[in-house]
Structure formats: C-alpha cells, structure tokens
Amino acid sequence: MGAVLGCIADDFTGATDLAGLLARSGAAVSLRIGVPDASEAETAAEFEVIALKCRTAPVDDAIASCRAALGWLQRAGASRFFWKYCSTFDSTPEGNIGPVAEALMGDLGATQTIYCPAFPENGRSIFMGNLFVGQQPLHESPMKDHPLTPMRDSNLMRLLAPQVRGEVGLIDRLTVAKGPEALRAALAQRAAEGVAHVVVDAVADADLAIIAEACQDMPLLTGGSAVAQPLPALYAKGQGAPQRGSAPSVPDGALVLSGSCSQMTRAQVAAYLGQAPGFKLDPLQLATSGHGAALDWLKAQAASANPLIYATAEPQEVRRAQSELGVAAAGAVVEDALAALSVAARDLGIRRFVVAGGETSGAVASALGVTRLDIRDEIAPGVPWCFAKSNGSDIAITLKSGNFGAESFFADALAQLNAA
C-alpha cells in the first residue's frame, strides 16, 4: 500500500511527539532515525515519520537533509507531507522553520502552506498570530532563556517573515471558529493576494480539527504535532480502525538519562531523585576527565533501582559551562557522555531507557544504533513508549521533549511499562 502521509521532524523528541499523536488513531506509525536506505521504502507503514537533527543545524544543511527525507517519503508512496517543528517555534532569524518549508514547497510545487504550532493539550495556543505557553506569551515564558534558540518575540508572523522569501499572513481564530469551509475560503483569498505562508490561530482541540479538515489535501502542512493528530481519521475515509501487532517483551531494569535543562525537566529530575539513585554530570569535569566516574557509578547500581544520570542544571550553571567551554562544546560534551553511557547500560543488560531532551535523545538513539521505532501508547501527551532494536536486542525507549510531561514523568513512564 505504501505511505499515506510522510512526516519530517526537526529533532528526535519532536518526531516521537508527532508519531505518538498519530498513533492514537490506532494506525501503523513507523519512526525512522535519519533518512533510511532507498530499499527500505518498500517496507513503509501508512504513516512514516523521519526524525532528523536539524533544528539548529546550518540552514543549508537543514534544507539538504529535509529534501533528502522528502525524496525517500515520495519513494515510499506518500503524496501528502508534514513538516514538524517545536510547539514553541524554536528557531532563529535565519531559520530553520521557514527555509525548510519553502524548500519543500518548491520540490512539491506547492504555492501555499500553513504554520500552526499550537498544542492546546500541552498549553500551547495561538491567538491573533501570537504564541502562548500556558498563559504567558512566548517571549515571557521560560523559552526566552533557551540556551540555543532563545525566543524573544511571541508574534509568529514577525518570527517567520525574516526566514522566508514569500509573503506571510494570518488567518485568525475568529475565522477558524466558523468552520472548514470558511477557513478554505480564507486560504484561497490569501493565495489570491500572493500570501504563501499562512499562520493559523488555534486555541483549542476543536480548532485543530477544523484546520486539519480544511487543509488535509494541501501537499505540505507545517506545524507542531497536534494539528496532524486528526489526519489519520480523515485519510482513512471510513476504512475501519487499523490494528497493530503486539509489542515485544523487555526485561525489567531501566536507565533514565536527562540532558535537558528546561524548567519542567528540572522539576522532573528533582522529583525522581526522591525515589531513585542519581549521578550528576558536570560539563567542565567531563571536558577534562571524561565520563569514567559516571560509568563506574552506573556499574555499581542495581538495574532494578532504575538509576538516573543527568546533566540537568539551573540556568546559571549552564551559562557558566557555556562561558568556559563555548555553547556548542558544552552541549556536545554532555551529549557524548550520555550517549556513551547508554551504550554501556545496554551492554550491562539494561533494555529500558527514558531520555529527556531533544539533543540528548538524538545522541542516545544514534549511539544505540536505533534506526526505526515502533510507536506505542503515550505516557504523557506527545511522549509515547517506543520499541526498537539495538545491537540485535529489543529495547523500550521513550524520548521526551524537555518541557513535556508532569513532574512525576520518569516514575510514570516506568510504571506504565511495568503495567503493560
């Protein structure tokens, strides 16, 4: 049958977020780490998600990798495509959201697309083109201090305009609330005015359903994961509920790895340390001494203790490490350590991994040799358990975006898997 919808995500946790929401429908969802080999297109699922690591890559590199992913998805049979980025529109004045969207539009011959990073279930909403995180405008939220993509403006049109060549416009919530036909008419009007890039308001799940219905036949949609969630039901067209096979069994014993320094992840680490042993990584020590001390500590832990290794720190600690090592080097030394420790844990027999942070998730998944994930039930909105092969063994892994999940997320994740 081939793929029905082909999706490209700009980081690994964003990919699992999207795949988890698509899988709520019961559809077969496959998540690929990086662009697969051409021969794998023959094994495509109905809904294919390709996870890239291009959110903060140089613009030309991001465009090249996304175009390569698009080519594979086309060979896999997809004729509709989704470009997924973070629900907080993480980007810089140079990109990469807009440049990638424009490049994909060019390859597909699309003259218009929408931008809708809203995720009401996780507190992300758009009103009059302004993005809110809970009740805070984006530029007043903790995202204003993000170490790689600090967001200092909440207006999506102002954020997007410097990134694209085409005209940018808005369809506000008052129009969306009138229903799919009104939205289609507004999009047609914007197209007649030459507006190629349309920000669309959404403050509730009902808005997302309207947007998905109105835009389902566009060659390319862009946004956060939530606007894609209704698409499987729309594309199924009454074919009945799909069935997934059973998940593999993996032995008890888990490792929690956290590289995110988001406000929520800091709270999650603090909560989990009240019930499990933990080892804190210091980027400055890693840069001089490596991760040997953490490895020795890990070897001394019982797998049943479900230990935590983390570099999660307060903003002032992050700034101190970045000032001494440089922003890129401070991040890389942590990612390299957590990736190496995940492999060591696997070789010690651990088969369950909980990973927090987009960059960390990419590093860990790559180190474990994970190339394809089978998406299963969500632990929290946008964060599913996944199953994969690593060095020939079945593993369970969840890749969590920094700000997602409740404070009890790490314990919740392990409890859910134990109950399955």
Side-chain angles (χ1 to χ4, degrees):
M1 172 178 168
V4 173
L5 177 70
C7 306
I8 303 167
D10 67 356
D11 79 347
F12 288 23
T13 56
T16 56
D17 166 17
L18 173 60
L21 293 194
L22 292 172
R24 284 185 184 181
S25 67
V29 180
S30 173
L31 194 162
R32 315 277 183 153
I33 304 298
V35 181
D37 292 337
S39 61
E40 294 185 52
E42 298 176 2
T43 65
E46 293 174 281
F47 294 86
E48 285 284 349
V49 181
I50 294 180
L52 302 176
K53 193 177 179 184
C54 64
R55 180 169 298 172
T56 57
V59 175
D60 289 344
D61 292 348
I63 290 173
S65 62
C66 289
R67 293 183 70 192
L70 176 67
W72 186 89
L73 291 166
Q74 288 175 312
R75 288 191 293 274
S79 58
R80 301 182 184 95
F81 303 90
F82 191 84
W83 163 226
K84 194 276 176 192
Y85 39 82
C86 187
S87 60
T88 47
F89 214 71
D90 292 21
S91 56
T92 69
E94 294 75 35
N96 290 329
I97 293 172
V100 167
E102 213 156 47
L104 298 180
M105 290 171 70
D107 286 352
L108 293 170
T111 57
Q112 187 182 69
T113 192
I114 64 163
Y115 296 78
C116 186
F119 196 162
E121 194 172 357
N122 271 341
R124 314 291 193 267
S125 57
I126 310 167
F127 186 69
M128 298 301 169
N130 293 283
L131 182 58
F132 289 81
V133 178
Q135 295 183 344
Q136 293 179 307
L138 177 64
H139 73 279
E140 296 178 9
S141 77
M143 284 301 300
K144 69 181 186 299
D145 297 318
H146 191 284
L148 298 178
T149 52
M151 302 306 292
R152 302 291 167 77
D153 195 347
S154 301
N155 185 281
L156 297 181
M157 289 83 72
R158 284 198 298 264
L159 290 169
L160 184 60
Q163 300 183 20
V164 294
R165 296 185 296 273
E167 291 295 319
V168 176
L170 169 69
I171 294 178
D172 66 34
R173 206 259 172 166
L174 301 177
T175 301
V176 172
K178 294 177 182 177
E181 290 301 325
L183 178 51
R184 276 192 283 264
L187 285 165
Q189 179 61 37
R190 298 296 185 279
E193 296 166 353
V195 177
H197 306 277
V198 185
V199 173
V200 183
D201 277 357
V203 301
D205 287 343
D207 298 330
L208 298 176
I210 290 169
I211 295 166
E213 182 176 347
C215 301
Q216 61 180 297
D217 292 326
M218 278 186 165
L220 176 70
L221 301 178
T222 90
S225 58
V227 74
Q229 182 185 333
L231 294 175
L234 291 168
Y235 294 155
K237 300 185 190 303
Q239 295 178 18
Q243 300 295 320
R244 292 182 300 190
S246 59
S249 175
V250 293
D252 293 344
L255 177 63
V256 181
L257 297 165
S258 179
S260 169
C261 293
S262 73
Q263 185 177 48
M264 179 52 75
T265 303
R266 297 199 304 272
Q268 290 163 343
V269 166
Y272 191 67
L273 286 173
Q275 60 191 88
F279 187 99
K280 184 173 183 179
L281 300 174
D282 182 335
L284 298 176
Q285 291 180 354
L286 290 173
T288 57
S289 306
H291 64 274
L295 179 58
D296 291 341
W297 179 87
L298 175 63
K299 290 178 178 178
Q301 306 305 308
S304 59
N306 302 327
L308 164 69
I309 299 177
Y310 64 103
T312 302
E314 296 296 320
Q316 62 270 22
E317 295 179 73
V318 175
R319 288 192 290 269
R320 179 172 65 90
Q322 290 177 336
S323 67
E324 295 198 29
L325 300 175
V327 174
V333 73
V334 168
E335 291 171 32
D336 291 346
L338 291 171
L341 291 164
S342 71
V343 173
R346 181 202 63 197
D347 293 345
L348 289 169
I350 289 177
R351 297 291 181 264
R352 303 181 180 198
F353 298 89
V354 179
V355 189
E359 300 300 316
T360 301
S361 292
V364 168
S366 296
L368 290 173
V370 171
T371 59
R372 184 174 185 176
L373 296 102
D374 175 28
I375 308 302
R376 294 289 164 166
D377 295 338
E378 289 175 288
I379 305 154
V383 194
W385 270 112
C386 308
F387 291 86
K389 292 283 189 181
S390 178
N391 197 32
S393 297
D394 290 318
I395 65 168
I397 187 168
T398 184
L399 309 174
K400 186 193 83 72
S401 180
N403 286 305
F404 281 14
E407 288 189 10
S408 57
F409 176 83
F410 296 147
D412 293 344
L414 297 177
Q416 180 175 312
L417 195 59
N418 288 334

